[in-house]
Amino acid sequence: MKKFTHTISWSIMDQNELLPDDLMLVNAAKEATAGSWSPYSGFKVGAALRLDDGTVVTGSNQENAAYPSGLCAERTALFAAGHAHPGKAVLALAIAARNDKGFTGQPITPCGACRQVLAETEQRGGQPIRYILYGTEGTMVIEGGTDSILPFCFGADSMK
C-alpha cells in the first residue's frame, strides 16, 4: 500500500494587506453583486476575473424559478471571458457575496460545478488561477491554483 497526502494552504488577509491588483478585483466583484438576479434566495454573488492581458471580466449569479436553470457568478464571468476573449488565460478570480444584511462575514467558495469549469479553464490557460475570496472579517487568498480547491479533478486527461 502507498499512502499519499494532499496539502493546501491559504492566507486570510485584511483589505489593507491585499495586493493592489487583488483589491481592485475584490472591489469589482463587490460591484458585480449589483447585477445579480436573485429574487428567490436574496443571495447576491459577484465574480471578477483578471485575464493575462489585464482585462477584467465580471459576472453575477442569475437565478431562475426552476433552480437548476440558473447560473453562478463564477461561471457567468468565465463564459463571458471565454466568448469575448478566447485564448486568454485567467490569472485571478475574486468572489464576493451579500444578502439583505450586507456582505458576508466569511468568504464564500465556488460550488462544485464552478470548480469543474475553473479546473478546465485553468488547464486551457496553462497556469494556476489565484483565488481571492472576500469576506468582511477577512479575505481568503489561495495561491495553489484549482488543484487546491478541487483535488482529483476529472478532466480531458482523465479520458486518455
Side-chain angles (χ1 to χ4, degrees), residues 28-29 32 47-49 56-60 73 76-77 80:
L49 53 88
V56 173
V57 178
T58 62
S60 61
T76 301

Side-chain angles (χ1 to χ4, degrees), residues 15-153:
Q15 278 199 337
N16 62 350
E17 297 175 306
L18 292 173
L19 297 172
D21 282 348
D22 290 351
L23 181 58
M24 184 274 307
L25 215 55
V26 163
N27 288 333
K30 289 168 68 176
E31 290 172 17
T33 64
S36 170
W37 174 251
S38 49
Y40 308 103
S41 70
F43 193 63
K44 300 177 181 301
V45 181
L49 53 88
R50 183 181 315 105
L51 303 177
D52 59 5
D53 66 355
T55 300
V56 173
V57 178
T58 62
S60 61
N61 60 321
Q62 303 295 309
E63 291 181 352
N64 189 288
Y67 260 117
S69 300
L71 195 60
C72 298
E74 298 91 315
R75 283 180 282 155
T76 301
L78 288 163
F79 295 155
H83 168 73
H85 306 278
K88 298 293 181 188
V90 175
L91 300 182
L93 171 70
I95 305 168
R98 63 183 171 93
N99 55 33
D100 59 347
K101 296 175 186 168
F103 285 99
T104 58
Q106 295 299 312
I108 65 161
T109 59
C111 74
C114 288
R115 291 176 195 219
Q116 180 67 34
V117 173
L118 284 159
E120 292 194 36
T121 299
E122 185 177 274
Q123 289 168 1
R124 278 195 314 273
Q127 50 192 312
I129 296 173
R130 176 183 174 86
Y131 293 93
I132 307 124
L133 311 175
Y134 174 76
T136 60
E137 297 171 16
T139 299
M140 179 185 291
V141 178
I142 304 169
E143 305 268 358
T146 306
D147 188 50
S148 293
I149 63 170
L150 183 64
F152 308 109
C153 175

